[in-house]
């Protein structure tokens, strides 16, 4: 395996794993405040799924020779990137709906494409992840539907969440193709099967009718159907905001890393106990 191919995969897969792990935080914040027991149980299951996705992905990266400690170190020291979207705050219950609908929706569009990525362990992890993300996306849309059909205040809450999450969601697909310095090589190696702009367009095309069905307005005055292109035209993303967020200066960047560091420290005794237990079992098996 060429070294650069291996390095590129470790970079992408570990960033993807970090995103799943950090991605638990914005919604995890709402578990204690979910409006009903049913919503709480669903949200708990979803957040647990994200932890599981992190595990599949760290394991896939380990098959390439990266160690778990090394990858976690890079995340906790702030060296490694993770998806920009998780550096935004979840201000209301509607944000949990918007994350499921939009963020998981965008993640699926990207990950369906990655089910055909050229590295088998990554592609196989994606198949299972996509099935789970599909459940996540539906639960988010169902929350939005309930709010959109609810009281005036609930509709306003749903619209406010869409207003705040729309643009950061479009940023999840990364820079424009012309600015995406890894794309050409990754497409050549078939790590990426579709470009950042192609996937972003696909997401917009499938999401606009969903917003229409909810009776919510996408916060983009330029948004309109282009008959000739067979695609929605949409406005320009604020790339300065994107650069700021991926440089670690997003609205919640500091809190996210602090929460991960604290969880790592507080979980030290679990790792120690698991190692001691494995050692004891090993000694018994040898005896
Ligand atoms: N955020 O040259 P490109 C989820 C970086 S999972 C942060 O285009 P590439 C599930 C990029 O790393 C979401 N950084 O790079 C969930 C590179 O920096 P580097 C995660 C970004 O790799 C839902 C530089 O910019 N999904 O949400 C972003 O060819 C709900 C130049 O960019 C994945 O990771 C960004 N948005 O394409 C969980 C999918 N965009 O590494 C909880 C797998 C770009 O040189 C709740 N990854 N950058 O320092 C990919 O498909 C690709 O890596 C891209 C970027 C498309 C993200």
């Amino acid at each position: 395996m060429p070294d650069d191919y291996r390095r590129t995969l470790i970079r992408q897969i570990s960033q993807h794993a970090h995103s799943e792990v950090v991605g638990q935080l914005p919604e995890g914040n709402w578990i204690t405040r979910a409006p009903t027991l049913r919503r709480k149980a669903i949200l708990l299951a979803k957040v647990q799924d994200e932890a599981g996705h992190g595990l599949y992905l760290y394991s896939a990266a380990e098959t390439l020779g990266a160690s778990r400690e090394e990858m976690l170190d890079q995340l906790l020291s702030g060296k490694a990137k993770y998806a920009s979207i998780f550096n935004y705050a979840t201000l209301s219950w509607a944000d949990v709906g918007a994350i499921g609908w939009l963020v998981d929706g965008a993640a699926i569009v990207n990950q369906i494409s990655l089910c055909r990525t050229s590295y088998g362990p990554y592609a196989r992890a994606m198949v299972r992840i996509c099935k789970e993300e599909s459940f996540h996306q539906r639960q988010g849309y169902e929350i939005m539907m309930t709010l959109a059909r609810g009281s005036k205040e609930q509709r306003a809450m749903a619209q406010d969440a869409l207003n705040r999450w729309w643009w950061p969601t479009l940023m999840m697909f990364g820079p424009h193709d012309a600015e995406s310095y890894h794309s050409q090589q990754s497409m050549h190696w078939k790590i990426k099967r579709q470009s950042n702009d192609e996937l972003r367009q696909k997401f917009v095309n499938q999401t606009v009718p969903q917003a229409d069905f909810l009776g919510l307005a996408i916060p983009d005055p330029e948004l309109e159907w282009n008959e000739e292109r067979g695609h929605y035209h949409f406005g320009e993303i604020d790339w300065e905001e994107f650069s700021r967020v991926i440089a670690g200066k997003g609205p919640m960047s500091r809190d996210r890393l602090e929460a991960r560091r604290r969880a790592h420290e507080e979980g030290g005794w679990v790792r120690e106990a698991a190692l001691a237990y494995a050692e004891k079992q090993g000694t018994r098996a040898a005896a």
Side-chain angles (χ1 to χ4, degrees), residues 78-90:
K79 246 192 262 160
K81 289 199 174 72
Y82 58 85
S84 47
I85 191 79
F86 301 119
N87 293 306
Y88 292 84
T90 35

Side-chain angles (χ1 to χ4, degrees), residues 14-199:
S14 62
Q15 285 178 4
H16 197 163
H18 301 328
S19 307
E20 300 280 359
V21 170
V22 178
Q24 295 174 91
L25 296 171
E27 288 165 289
N29 191 28
W30 277 89
I31 291 173
T32 53
R33 290 175 286 163
T36 65
L37 184 60
R38 175 175 169 267
R39 294 288 186 203
K40 191 197 280 276
I42 294 172
L43 188 57
L44 259 174
K46 179 189 190 293
V47 171
Q48 266 177 1
D49 282 353
E50 310 299 358
H53 298 173
L55 285 179
Y56 313 154
L57 287 161
Y58 282 129
S59 302
E62 279 172 323
T63 65
L64 291 156
S67 78
R68 185 82 58 104
E69 288 73 23
E70 203 181 321
M71 290 186 277
L72 279 179
D73 233 39
Q74 286 183 346
L75 171 66
L76 300 178
S77 67
K79 246 192 262 160
K81 289 199 174 72
Y82 58 85
S84 47
I85 191 79
F86 301 119
N87 293 306
Y88 292 84
T90 35
L91 304 179
S92 78
W93 172 251
D95 288 17
V96 174
I99 291 180
W101 171 36
L102 301 172
V103 178
D104 284 279
I108 296 174
V109 168
N110 170 281
Q111 291 170 165
I112 287 284
S113 177
L114 288 172
C115 289
R116 294 184 301 114
T117 189
S118 53
Y119 186 58
Y122 191 22
R124 287 190 287 278
M126 284 299 115
V127 173
R128 178 159 176 182
I129 290 179
C130 282
K131 287 187 184 154
E132 293 175 351
E133 300 286 31
S134 167
F135 153 69
H136 298 171
Q137 198 269 351
R138 283 155 205 239
Q139 69 85 35
Y141 195 68
E142 202 245 344
I143 292 175
M144 294 304 275
M145 206 141 63
T146 307
L147 294 173
R149 288 180 183 163
S151 64
K152 201 167 128 243
E153 287 79 10
Q154 286 171 317
R155 271 197 304 281
M157 215 161 97
Q159 182 62 56
D160 174 59
L162 171 57
N163 293 349
R164 284 179 292 105
W165 289 91
W166 176 252
W167 291 104
T169 300
L170 295 191
M171 294 175 196
M172 285 175 72
F173 296 93
H176 279 313
D177 295 348
E179 315 293 327
S180 161
Y181 43 80
H182 295 300
S183 271
Q184 204 183 357
Q185 187 58 264
S186 290
M187 297 282 282
H188 180 66
W189 280 329
K190 296 189 169 37
I191 293 174
K192 283 167 93 165
R193 306 303 305 252
Q194 283 170 293
S195 77
N196 297 2
D197 285 328
E198 275 175 301
L199 292 172

